[in-house]
């Protein structure tokens, strides 16, 4: 266990998580607003290969999100595109277990990972992007302390049409933590 709060904890991911990642990747509701890599079919072998190497990546940090109650992996989050020169990175999250949606877990994980990025990694700026249609995510990010910076017009293609994305960020000088 790397970090914990309330009813969840964050841990490292490993190749044993491939089955759940595969299940999540096959569910369009789960992947609708996530990374473009989920837009294409992936095999369990692809997931295993990706998971076997992620902990050695220098510019990305990944955490599995687990429920304390049953130790089940329900999603993952982290910081990508970490720049030590600019002291910045980009937050991401995917909650794959739909039974956990709408319970405040996204806000809690956003706070935990952002705290790690600022206090442990020493980042000054953490940003994220979200589809404007994903109002639940934008609300979670706002509650976690992120500020709206602007709209990237037609920055993504989902459900057969181009859609806008917002960019949000938090600075270390604004971060109040928990």
């Amino acid at each position: 266990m790397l970090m914990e709060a309330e009813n969840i904890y964050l841990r490292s991911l490993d190749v044993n998580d491939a089955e759940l990642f595969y299940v999540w990747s096959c569910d369009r509701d789960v992947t609708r607003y996530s990374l473009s890599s989920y837009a294409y079919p992936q095999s369990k072998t692809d997931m295993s290969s990706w998971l076997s190497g992620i902990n050695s990546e220098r510019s990305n940090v990944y955490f599995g999100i687990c429920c304390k109650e049953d130790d089940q992996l329900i999603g993952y989050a982290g910081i990508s595109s970490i720049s030590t020169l600019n002291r910045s990175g980009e937050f991401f999250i995917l909650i794959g277990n739909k039974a956990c949606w709408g319970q405040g877990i996204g806000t809690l994980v956003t706070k935990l990972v952002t705290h790690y990025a600022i206090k442990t990694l020493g980042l000054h700026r953490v940003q994220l992007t979200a589809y404007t249609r994903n109002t639940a995510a934008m609300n979670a990010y706002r509650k976690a302390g992120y500020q709206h910076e602007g709209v990237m017009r037609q920055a993504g293609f989902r459900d057969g049409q181009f859609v806008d994305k917002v960019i949000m960020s938090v600075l270390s000088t604004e971060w109040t933590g928990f």
Side-chain angles (χ1 to χ4, degrees):
M1 184 177 339
L2 299 172
M3 292 178 277
E4 65 178 302
E6 297 176 28
N7 57 344
I8 58 107
Y9 65 91
L10 305 181
R11 65 160 172 84
S12 297
L13 292 170
D14 64 43
V15 72
N16 296 322
D17 298 320
E19 179 68 32
L20 273 175
F21 273 84
Y22 177 73
V23 169
W24 298 336
S25 74
C26 294
D27 188 329
R28 187 68 183 131
D29 289 337
V30 171
T31 63
R32 175 167 282 114
Y33 299 118
S34 67
L35 300 172
S36 298
S37 59
Y38 284 116
Y40 307 103
Q42 306 226 2
S43 68
K44 291 177 194 172
T45 304
D46 292 336
M47 294 294 177
S48 294
S49 296
W50 173 68
L51 286 165
S52 68
I54 64 168
N55 292 322
S56 62
E57 293 182 14
R58 292 179 182 236
S59 62
N60 302 310
V61 177
Y62 300 88
F63 300 104
I65 306 166
C66 296
C67 286
K68 284 183 182 178
E69 182 180 317
D70 57 11
D71 288 326
Q72 290 295 325
L73 182 70
I74 62 164
Y76 78 115
I79 304 292
S80 65
S81 304
I82 296 169
S83 169
T84 53
L85 174 65
N86 296 315
R87 293 182 51 208
S88 65
E90 186 166 348
F91 173 77
F92 65 87
I93 185 171
L94 179 133
I95 298 178
N97 184 333
K98 292 189 285 190
C100 297
W101 291 2
Q103 298 179 17
I105 293 170
T107 300
L108 184 58
V109 171
T110 303
K111 287 180 179 181
L112 273 174
V113 175
T114 302
H115 189 79
Y116 176 84
I118 291 171
K119 299 299 182 183
T120 303
L121 299 179
L123 300 185
H124 172 65
R125 174 186 168 84
V126 182
Q127 70 178 37
L128 59 84
T129 60
Y131 287 94
T132 55
R133 293 179 180 173
N134 195 353
T135 55
M138 290 188 300
N139 288 336
Y141 304 143
R142 216 175 284 109
K143 288 178 191 172
Y146 281 72
Q147 293 184 25
H148 182 273
E149 289 190 343
V151 175
M152 299 184 302
R153 298 178 311 139
Q154 298 184 4
F157 189 76
R158 291 294 187 273
D159 300 325
Q161 57 187 312
F162 289 100
V163 293
D164 296 345
K165 292 173 84 174
V166 297
I167 186 162
M168 301 175 80
S169 72
V170 66
L171 304 177
S172 63
T173 52
E174 305 164 340
W175 182 247
T176 58
F178 285 94

